[in-house]
Amino acid sequence: MLIKTLNLMSGTSENSFKPTGKLSDKSAKVILNRIAKLEIPLKWQHVCYAINSSSQMDKIKEYDAISFGWGNY
């Protein structure tokens, strides 16, 4: 698993990973900091915006792909 190989996430225990589990703010910051430290150049960028932002899509030009949808909180 690439995420484990890059040490971005380790799971909830040695043999357990809960992709649909809740992520704390602290854990999210740790993951984002680990990603920021990777020295891998970005070749393709994809972003996701709230569905009500779709009318402004023409103003967002710096990404290769843009998705619009609803959040699941």
Side-chain angles (χ1 to χ4, degrees):
M1 183 185 279
L2 184 61
I3 291 172
K4 188 172 183 178
T5 302
L6 293 175
N7 193 33
L8 298 179
M9 296 171 69
S10 59
T12 56
S13 69
E14 182 64 31
N15 297 312
S16 177
F17 180 70
K18 297 180 181 177
T20 59
K22 294 198 181 250
L23 186 66
S24 70
D25 288 345
K26 182 179 178 183
S27 294
K29 288 177 187 176
V30 168
I31 294 166
L32 291 174
N33 283 331
R34 290 176 181 171
I35 291 171
K37 290 178 183 176
L38 292 176
E39 294 184 13
I40 301 171
L42 292 175
K43 295 180 182 177
W44 192 78
Q45 294 181 337
H46 175 255
V47 294
C48 184
Y49 287 96
I51 195 74
N52 60 0
S53 300
S54 62
S55 63
Q56 300 174 8
M57 187 170 132
D58 61 322
K59 297 177 183 167
I60 309 167
K61 307 225 183 261
E62 65 270 12
Y63 300 106
D64 299 306
I66 302 171
S67 298
F68 294 93
W70 290 269
N72 186 9
Y73 300 101

